[in-house]
Amino acid sequence: MATLPSLFISHGGPNIVIDDIAARHFLEGIPALIERPKAIVIMSAHFETGGVSVVTDPHPDMIYDFGGFAPELYRMVYPAPGEPKLAERVFSMLEEAGLAPSRCERRGYDHGTWTPLKLAFPEADIPVVQISIDPDRDARWHYAVGRALAPLREEGILLIGSGHITHNLRAVISVMRTGRPIDPQIGERFNAFTDWFAERFAEGDIEALFDWRRRAPFPADNHPTDEHLMPIFFALGAAGDRANAERVHASREYGFFAYDSYLFQ
C-alpha cells in the first residue's frame, strides 16, 4: 500500500449529513481521493482535554453534542469499531515524542468525528481511534502531535484533522435566525483569511502559519476561539517534512461560512 496523505476537513454542523450542499458532497467523495485506509486516527475540535488524550474504547458510543437540529440527527448511529491496539501504539508514539499523552477508556464519537466519517465511509467498517486537542496549546504544539504520528501513514492509516477553516458561530447564528444577508465587508474578511492560509500553504511558509493569530488577516472575526483551527496543524504535521498542501475543497454557506479542506502529502 502507498503512503496515505493526511487530511484536514471542515466538518460543518451535524446537518451536513442531510443538507444538499457542496461540502456534504465533497465528504462523500473522499474515497475517490485516497486509497481505502486500514484504520483512521482523527483529531476532532470537539474533543478537548488538557494535553493530548487517546481514546482506547473498543466500542465507542454516540455523542450528540448539539441542539436545535432535525430530530433524525439524534437517531443516527455510526457503529465503527475502536481499535485498542492501535490506540496503544498511538499513545506510545506520542509518549516517545515527549508529549505526555493520557488515555481515555470510554468516549463516544462527537459530531466532529461521526458526521464526516458517516459521509466518507458510510459502511462504518474502518476502525477509528480518536485523539484530542488541547485548547490551551498553540499551533506548533498540535503540529508536533501530528508529526509524532506521521509514520502511521506508511502503514495505510489515515490521519485526519477535523475542525473548520473559519468558525464564527455568532455570525452564522445571526444570519440563520434573522435571514438578513451578511454585510459584504464581513464576507471579505472571511475570504481574506482563507486566502491567506491557501497562500501560506502554497509557499510552504510554516512559520507564518504557526503565527497565524498575529499575521493572518482578521483572525478574531474568523476564530473567536482557537479550537476549530488546531486540527489543521495536526494534519499538516502528520504529512511530515516538506509537506505539499492541496486545497481539495472550498465552498461557502451564507456567503462566508467556509468549508475549505486540505490534503497534505
Side-chain angles (χ1 to χ4, degrees):
M1 173 176 281
T3 299
L4 289 180
S6 58
L7 287 175
F8 168 73
I9 54 178
S10 292
H11 60 242
N15 53 307
I16 197 172
V17 178
I18 57 176
D19 287 354
D20 185 14
I21 60 173
R24 170 190 169 181
H25 301 308
F26 162 72
L27 291 171
E28 290 172 330
I30 283 177
L33 286 178
I34 61 172
E35 291 188 36
R36 177 182 167 84
K38 293 180 179 177
I40 295 168
V41 176
I42 185 167
M43 173 184 279
S44 167
H46 292 270
F47 180 19
E48 298 183 12
T49 61
V52 58
S53 187
V54 183
V55 177
T56 60
D57 193 338
H59 303 291
D61 206 339
M62 299 295 290
I63 300 175
Y64 303 105
D65 53 338
F66 47 85
F69 288 89
E72 61 262 38
L73 292 171
Y74 300 88
R75 298 189 293 269
M76 288 185 178
V77 175
Y78 191 70
E83 180 49 84
K85 288 185 179 179
L86 175 59
E88 287 298 331
R89 187 149 171 248
V90 166
F91 181 92
S92 295
M93 294 171 79
L94 294 171
E95 192 171 47
E96 289 171 7
L99 291 163
S102 62
R103 294 179 180 87
C104 180
E105 295 183 357
R106 288 285 178 268
R107 190 178 193 279
Y109 295 132
D110 61 66
H111 90 262
T113 294
W114 73 261
T115 57
L117 294 186
K118 188 173 183 67
L119 291 169
F121 305 106
E123 298 85 1
D125 56 354
I126 300 173
V128 178
V129 172
Q130 303 173 85
I131 63 173
S132 67
I133 68 160
D134 183 341
D136 294 324
R137 303 282 189 137
D138 62 8
R140 193 182 298 272
W141 184 86
H142 287 86
Y143 176 90
V145 174
R147 192 70 189 84
L149 302 183
L152 293 174
R153 295 168 40 246
E154 299 173 8
E155 302 170 26
I157 296 170
L158 179 61
L159 304 180
I160 300 176
S162 176
H164 235 282
I165 193 67
T166 65
H167 196 256
N168 188 330
L169 287 186
R170 179 178 294 182
V172 173
I173 292 170
S174 175
V175 171
M176 291 175 65
R177 288 179 176 173
T178 66
R180 291 196 298 265
I182 194 166
D183 183 333
Q185 290 186 344
I186 296 177
E188 290 172 5
R189 292 177 182 179
F190 284 79
N191 289 333
F193 183 86
T194 56
D195 288 347
W196 183 88
F197 262 80
E199 291 162 4
R200 299 295 83 71
F201 279 130
E203 295 167 358
D205 193 348
I206 294 176
E207 289 301 318
L209 289 162
F210 287 159
D211 198 23
W212 69 277
R213 265 288 173 201
R214 198 168 57 89
R215 300 197 201 183
F218 312 111
D221 291 290
N222 286 273
H223 288 278
T225 55
D226 291 1
E227 78 288 336
H228 269 75
L229 194 59
M230 292 304 101
I232 202 170
F233 297 106
F234 167 75
L236 176 61
D241 293 335
R242 297 181 295 279
N244 177 64
E246 179 184 359
R247 184 158 58 170
V248 289
H249 180 73
S251 64
R252 304 289 184 270
E253 268 193 292
Y254 315 114
F256 71 95
F257 192 54
Y259 286 89
D260 292 15
S261 295
Y262 282 87
L263 181 148
F264 300 102
Q265 57 186 352

